[in-house]
Amino acid sequence: MVSESEQRTTRTPAGEVFGLAGPSQGSTEVSTWRMALGVGMSTPVHIIDREQVWMPLSGTFEVDVDGKVERVGAGQAVILAAGTVRRLTAVGGGPAEALVAMAVGGRAMVPGSEDKIPLPWAE
């Protein structure tokens, strides 16, 4: 069993990321984490080199993928293709939380840069 822990929690100005399954926890194929964004807060504009599935647990996310904007809430899922420019924002007057899953080994990039940034919560 894997539980959230302080050691696998990353805090940012926008919210918190709670690492769950990943290679450091014995998962060889899938990484999962819980993302919590504060009211009106957003992830940075970024690219991930792996497909991700975001499954909101509470609140509503505005999902901007390559300039196309949709809203997704609890009971729904959004599939973000690898290599797409994305930004997720907590909308609707409250915080938003989601469970996120992707294949092990994913890295983030800033648009216009070739630098690949590891995701500590997914390792």
Side-chain angles (χ1 to χ4, degrees), residues 63-113:
V63 183
D64 183 336
V65 178
D66 289 334
K68 181 181 176 189
V69 179
E70 294 187 36
R71 288 190 177 206
V72 61
Q76 297 179 304
V78 62
I79 300 166
L80 302 175
T84 57
V85 177
R86 80 261 323 257
R87 182 176 194 167
L88 290 96
T89 304
V91 297
E97 293 188 24
L99 181 62
V100 184
M102 77 173 184
V104 163
R107 299 286 184 260
M109 294 166 281
V110 175
S113 173

Side-chain angles (χ1 to χ4, degrees), residues 29-31 33 48 50-52 100-106 119 122:
E29 296 184 20
V30 178
S31 293
W33 59 92
I48 301 291
R50 299 279 194 277
E51 178 182 87
Q52 289 183 331
V100 184
M102 77 173 184
V104 163
L119 305 171

Side-chain angles (χ1 to χ4, degrees), residues 25-43:
Q25 301 299 309
S27 179
T28 59
E29 296 184 20
V30 178
S31 293
T32 64
W33 59 92
R34 182 172 62 91
M35 168 70 83
L37 288 179
V39 177
M41 301 305 289
S42 299
T43 66

Side-chain angles (χ1 to χ4, degrees), residues 2 8 14 16 22 24 46 49 65-66 73 76 86 93 98 103 105 120:
V2 178
R8 294 191 38 81
E16 298 173 306
S24 66
H46 64 289
D49 64 358
V65 178
D66 289 334
Q76 297 179 304
R86 80 261 323 257

